[in-house]
Amino acid sequence: VYPYECTEQVTSGARVLAAVLRMAPGDSGVARARRELATAVAMLERRQRTDGGIGYWDAEDWTTPGLSAQAGLALLEARAAGVKV
């Protein structure tokens, strides 16, 4: 997860990482995937606005219901994969 990605990119990457963790729990790349997913979760959490939405670049930026919903799904999938949210 690159630190300068927009929320759409972070969300897309997080969902892939969560799927990897669910499908290959014994794989050698699990530790790295878990660290990357935890990074993505932290980035999304920092982007949460006071109204509950997830900002496009940060917590002070614009959002849409769809963007926030996608970020929320990524957070739910991360939690289901065992990452603290």
Side-chain angles (χ1 to χ4, degrees), residues 37-52:
L37 185 53
T39 298
V41 165
M43 289 172 72
L44 293 174
E45 288 175 339
R46 284 193 303 271
R47 294 176 186 195
Q48 187 169 16
R49 298 160 29 117
T50 57
D51 64 4

Side-chain angles (χ1 to χ4, degrees), residues 19-73:
V20 166
L21 289 173
R22 286 193 316 271
M23 295 183 346
D27 188 38
S28 61
V30 166
R32 180 175 178 209
R34 189 171 305 285
R35 282 192 308 273
E36 289 284 320
L37 185 53
T39 298
V41 165
M43 289 172 72
L44 293 174
E45 288 175 339
R46 284 193 303 271
R47 294 176 186 195
Q48 187 169 16
R49 298 160 29 117
T50 57
D51 64 4
I54 306 294
Y56 192 72
W57 292 108
D58 59 41
E60 302 300 318
D61 209 358
W62 61 269
T63 192
T64 65
L67 180 66
S68 295
Q70 288 298 318
L73 288 172

